[in-house]
Amino acid sequence: MKSRSTFAAALLAVGLLSSPAHAEEQPSEVTIGYLNLVNAQLLAKALGLHEKELGVPVRWVKFGSGGDVNRAVAADQLDFGGVGNPPASIGITRELPYEGIFVLNMLGAVEGLVGRKSAGVATVKDLVGKSVAVPFGSTTHYLLIAALRDAGIKPSDVKMLDMSPSDAAAAWLRKDIDAAYVWEPSLGRMLDNDGQSVLHSADMARRGYPTWDVAVVMKRFSSKYPALTARFVKAECAAIDYWIAKPAESAQLIAKELNLSVDDATRMMKGTTMVPCSDQVKSAYLGSSATKGQFADTLVATAGFLKDQNRLPATKTRNEYAAFLNPAYLERVLSQK
């Protein structure tokens, strides 16, 4: 009896090492909330990478902004999601039960402030008295307020309207708004219809306002399914590898996912920076479990900015924002390569 128990324990140990996701209890389904924008997660979805890696059915739910994701998290509707640094700062401050585990993308020209030519909106200062659409609580909301402040304009001097990018594009075509700070593909539709670029998020990054999106996991999920959480990260890494190795094929898949032309998808990809998984644990990004990276500083700066603008009632310490970042699952994936 003793020897049979020992043999069983040995088999269990082998199973844990060779197939960690299957050594723990499996959920009947995993729900992934994804942002309707250009990044490698679209490739993971199109290629079925998560379905193959997790081994359980995956339900994909599309969101227009990180603010919408925060609301779904608060309602306990997701297992994984994606948010930019402003909604992450808001979520951490309001103690939403999630942690950031993966850099989805760094934002560049894929997000931009577009002004209506016929309304004479060519610069930030031209926004005074104009109607400007922006998804509240998003990266572009944060950058719009920053751009206004840098130009010496009070937010109250602008008629700011809370709209998702798709709603903003519809309002733009109806000529209900004069400007919008949104992301592709809605941004491109506005530029093609009486629009002109005022600035984009790469410009703001150079001014000291970097923006990025991270994948988040609900703590109730990661604590119960740590191996499965690592496999989620592994699938995301495979998608980034595919983006880097096969840009032409990636553009075709993204074009199909977002109902775009391949040329438009290619242009949008050039406005989005993918961070290879081996680089994500460096100090410029998530950092390591022992020493969190500069993303923690960005969260602190973003939260402070939002508080100054009365968008947040209070801020937390750097350690509390750093605690949101959990590269342990990524470190586990990298150690197995």
Side-chain angles (χ1 to χ4, degrees), residues 28-332:
S28 59
E29 182 181 73
V30 171
T31 302
I32 300 175
Y34 71 103
L35 296 170
N36 185 33
L37 50 77
V38 174
N39 63 28
Q41 194 167 59
L42 282 182
L43 302 180
K45 178 176 179 291
L47 296 168
L49 298 179
H50 286 296
E51 287 81 352
K52 295 172 186 173
E53 190 63 44
L54 299 179
V56 297
V58 174
R59 184 167 69 93
W60 291 88
V61 182
K62 183 167 65 177
F63 288 92
S65 72
D68 292 339
V69 173
N70 272 352
R71 284 184 278 276
V73 170
D76 196 22
Q77 296 174 338
L78 301 175
D79 297 316
F80 296 93
V83 293
N85 47 303
S89 297
I90 293 170
I92 298 164
T93 305
R94 293 179 176 168
E95 300 186 346
L96 290 182
Y98 57 31
E99 53 189 351
I101 57 174
F102 189 80
V103 183
L104 291 172
N105 51 261
M106 302 296 291
L107 296 164
V110 74
E111 291 185 342
L113 174 61
V114 55
R116 188 180 296 280
K117 291 179 184 177
S118 58
V121 180
T123 69
V124 174
K125 291 189 176 181
D126 294 330
L127 295 176
V128 174
K130 297 294 196 299
S131 298
V132 185
V134 65
F136 282 13
S138 68
T139 51
T140 56
H141 186 206
Y142 161 65
L143 293 180
L144 174 60
I145 294 173
L148 291 172
R149 186 183 67 175
D150 286 357
I153 299 170
K154 298 177 183 176
S156 57
D157 292 336
V158 175
K159 186 179 180 182
M160 211 176 297
L161 303 170
D162 182 11
M163 291 186 186
S164 69
S166 58
D167 287 344
W172 179 271
L173 295 176
R174 293 193 304 268
K175 300 184 179 180
D176 289 344
I177 57 176
D178 304 305
Y181 200 153
V182 294
W183 48 85
E184 299 279 14
S186 299
L187 174 63
R189 296 193 185 107
M190 298 182 196
L191 289 170
D192 290 340
N193 289 277
D194 194 25
Q196 57 189 341
S197 178
V198 177
L199 56 81
H200 51 65
S201 296
D203 297 325
M204 295 303 291
R206 285 189 284 272
R207 295 184 192 179
Y209 304 102
T211 48
W212 35 260
D213 293 317
V214 295
V216 295
V217 61
M218 305 310 108
K219 291 180 179 177
R220 60 160 172 74
F221 186 95
S222 57
S223 62
K224 188 173 183 179
Y225 307 112
L228 210 61
T229 302
R231 285 181 174 258
F232 170 90
V233 171
K234 185 178 179 181
E236 293 287 337
C237 285
I240 285 185
D241 291 345
Y242 189 95
W243 171 296
I244 294 171
K246 300 181 177 182
E249 292 89 340
S250 296
Q252 290 181 347
L253 291 172
I254 287 171
K256 186 176 180 181
E257 283 289 326
L258 295 180
N259 194 26
L260 303 169
S261 70
V262 174
D263 286 345
D264 281 346
T266 301
R267 172 176 54 81
M268 295 174 197
M269 288 174 65
K270 291 178 180 177
T272 306
T273 300
M274 291 296 111
V275 183
C277 288
S278 58
D279 288 347
Q280 293 198 13
V281 292
K282 294 181 178 177
S283 62
Y285 305 103
L286 298 176
S288 66
S289 293
T291 306
K292 301 296 174 62
Q294 293 175 15
F295 272 28
D297 301 309
T298 304
L299 288 168
V300 172
T302 306
F305 184 87
L306 293 172
K307 181 178 180 295
D308 291 344
Q309 300 298 322
N310 297 317
R311 304 288 176 180
L312 273 179
T315 60
K316 292 183 174 293
T317 66
R318 185 189 188 279
N319 284 343
E320 289 172 304
Y321 287 109
F324 161 78
L325 303 171
N326 185 358
Y329 304 103
L330 179 56
E331 291 170 336
R332 177 174 176 169

